[in-house]
Amino acid sequence: MSITTSPQSFSRPRYRPDIDGMRALAILSVLIFHAYPNTLLGGFVGVDIFFVISGYLISNIIFRGLALGSFSFFDFYARRVRRIFPAVTIVLLGSFLLGFFFLRPEEFKDLIAESPYAAFFVENWRLYVTTGGYWEVATELQPFMHFWSLGVEEQYYIFYPLICFLLWRVSARKFLASLVLMFVISWGLCLYDTSYESVRAFYSLHTRFWELLIGGILAYVELIWPDYKNYLLMPTNEGGSYIIDNFLSCIGFSLIVFSIFFIEEVDSFPGWKACLPTIGAVLIIAAGSEAFLNKYVFANKLAVFIGLISYPLYLWHWPIICIFRNNLAGEIPSGWLMCLLILSSFLLAYLTYNFVERPMRSKKATWSLVLVLFVVLLIVSLGSKQLIRHSQSIEKVIDNGIPDSLLQLREDLDEKEKSDAVCKAKFGEGFDVCRATSHNPSVLILGDSHTHVMWKYLKTVNELPDFYLLGKDAFFTFKDAYLIKRQGKNNDLARHFWSVIENSPEIDSIVLRSYWGNYLAQSLHSDLNSAWNSEEIFQYHWRETFKTLKALNKKVFVVLDNPVLPPTLLKRCIRTQRVSLLPDNVECNVNINEMRYTYKFTREFLIKEAAHWDNVTLIDLEKELCQNGKCPVWLNGELLYGDDNHLSFYGNKKIWPLIQKAVWGK
């Protein structure tokens, strides 16, 4: 299909104030959702609107450059760096300043450690690997969490121009067909992942690609076929185009409003539900600037102003709200405080736009400017992370006020403390901790980070019984089942471990200690049956493990999960912020009847299943850590927990005698 307009008519995209007004709708829906989540259930779809707008505008630039033969990769990427990097740098610095005063020391260090992922737009993959999803409380308390969407966009900007350039060179006539094919593939992957791996679907470029591309397809259709609406929808007649434009605008706006008010935060998003806000956004853009809603609602001065500052407003609003939410132990700020935070977000966004973004846009895009902006952002993010990691004096300033039991828990083990020659000769490489307390132990302690953390206490004990201790963070014990996120090395390590056990008759007792409830909550896969859900996998492979170890004549000691705290309880009970807005009257314990479903399910299943095996003994930590149905955070003036599920140095000291007595009888 040939282009029907002259080069002069499309050499530069025409500014449309109504699109800035659409940005205002997108950012306001996201901001209100974050500030008042019960008000707009689907306010998070504002991100999907942003995707469509970005795809449309970026495609306009690329397609017009390709059509004229003037597209420059350097110019394209340099403009992105010039617009994006300065604002990100300012927001990171501002967040560091706020975090120093209002976050707990470990949260502040996490903030800085997270900053390189946010700064260089891989936050979406970090969240996919390290969290259970966008809707988790743990995710919602991360101040740079919102950079996941910028990560998707910037990754799109990296690959999309190159793909378009190559497709254009191969066949400009089939270019539209190629775009449509990419759209169909991405949408299909989105539907598949939403059904089978919802967290990956939410955060990934390949499942969000179609949302940006749908705007690109519209941009290309407008470029090559300016009168497409008249020919596709009705014969050209006077007033017909205006009627079509208003119809498209109204339908599009209705789809977006419906999405904002009625799509809820569930695992089935994006999936087909993401079609509602994205198609709505495309229809509004397609309606053109003369449609009534576009001209009088989206293009009004207030909407355009908010749209112009939408990028820095998106960057600023979440760190500000989230840092204060952390300060309040997870509670969403309310009343005058939330109003103040929103006003501060708008003020900082305006200042960033006026004194950083606009002046930087006026500068000529040169290699030296790009390099300077890159280096500055690198120093602010990665440089800060490395400085805190390697400067003990700075770390001491940050850690001021943290209880000693927590500091002991968070100190990393020296390499010589992590492994020894005897254990490595037996089990090889790959475990975070691999220790042997004698030359030929008959007992093996195996687990994930709970076992890893327990070794931090055990290494200080003068007299230990003979055992191997193997700990690997997020290590799922079973041979033919694994966490989908960790299916690579951890799965291979599990198989290797079981091959060693099957050929080690001298090991007659195995102690299993892991965070069992966590694995039930994750996306598990079984090589034996891919159709099983996590509960079915969990139960079947436990039974198979007991059967295998029974056949190998091994005693099994299963350490049941220690009680798990609500995610924010520890924040309420340990005041280490320099400025705290929390009230003083906090009950620092959790009712045993209010434990998470996964804790209760795994506990009940293991108690019931262990009764069928004469070689299996359960070690119940509740007896030591809870009294009268209450599980305290503090005991005898000592802190029991390092976080919501890992026991502290003192906590492990309390439960070790239970394990020792069960396994060694003393």
Side-chain angles (χ1 to χ4, degrees), residues 529-596:
N529 190 330
S530 60
W532 284 339
N533 61 34
S534 291
E535 289 185 4
E536 291 169 325
I537 292 171
F538 189 84
Q539 295 176 84
Y540 178 85
H541 283 280
W542 264 114
R543 294 188 181 106
E544 287 299 299
T545 298
F546 290 154
K547 182 193 294 185
T548 299
L549 294 174
K550 172 73 172 177
L552 293 171
N553 296 315
K554 299 188 188 300
K555 298 177 183 177
V556 184
F557 299 86
V558 180
V559 182
L560 297 177
D561 279 348
N562 53 257
V564 180
L565 304 179
T568 59
L569 182 60
L570 207 62
K571 297 174 183 287
R572 294 178 178 275
C573 297
I574 306 176
R575 308 293 179 82
T576 55
Q577 309 99 320
R578 286 159 183 82
V579 179
S580 177
L581 304 177
L582 281 168
D584 293 329
N585 52 335
V586 176
E587 187 175 357
C588 291
N589 57 59
V590 60
N591 192 313
I592 199 69
N593 296 320
E594 297 174 357
M595 290 291 173
R596 301 173 192 175

Side-chain angles (χ1 to χ4, degrees), residues 146-209:
H146 65 317
F147 273 83
W148 77 265
S149 64
L150 295 174
V152 170
E153 280 197 24
E154 301 313 313
Q155 291 158 24
Y156 183 84
Y157 293 163
I158 291 172
F159 298 110
Y160 183 61
L162 180 60
I163 293 171
C164 290
F165 178 80
L166 294 175
L167 290 175
W168 192 278
R169 292 290 296 271
V170 171
S171 176
R173 293 176 60 84
K174 297 179 181 179
F175 189 76
L176 180 59
S178 299
L179 295 181
V180 172
L181 178 61
M182 287 193 294
F183 173 87
V184 171
I185 292 173
S186 175
W187 190 56
L189 292 172
C190 175
L191 295 178
Y192 178 85
D193 272 4
T194 301
S195 297
Y196 295 100
E197 182 52 57
S198 59
V199 179
R200 183 172 65 196
F202 194 92
Y203 289 126
S204 300
L205 173 62
H206 68 274
T207 56
R208 296 286 192 162
F209 196 90

Side-chain angles (χ1 to χ4, degrees), residues 338-394:
M338 179 58 80
C339 292
L340 181 62
L341 298 181
I342 292 174
L343 288 174
S344 299
S345 300
F346 272 93
L347 176 61
L348 289 169
Y350 172 74
L351 294 174
T352 304
Y353 173 75
N354 213 40
F355 296 105
V356 178
E357 187 177 336
R358 283 184 63 189
M360 196 58 63
R361 280 185 177 184
S362 64
K363 292 184 178 295
K364 184 179 180 181
T366 62
W367 277 108
S368 58
L369 179 62
V370 170
L371 183 61
V372 167
L373 293 177
F374 178 84
V375 170
V376 169
L377 185 56
L378 187 68
I379 292 172
V380 168
S381 58
L382 189 60
S384 298
K385 178 179 179 179
Q386 294 301 319
L387 182 64
I388 288 178
R389 177 180 292 180
H390 298 291
S391 174
Q392 292 185 350
S393 58
I394 292 178

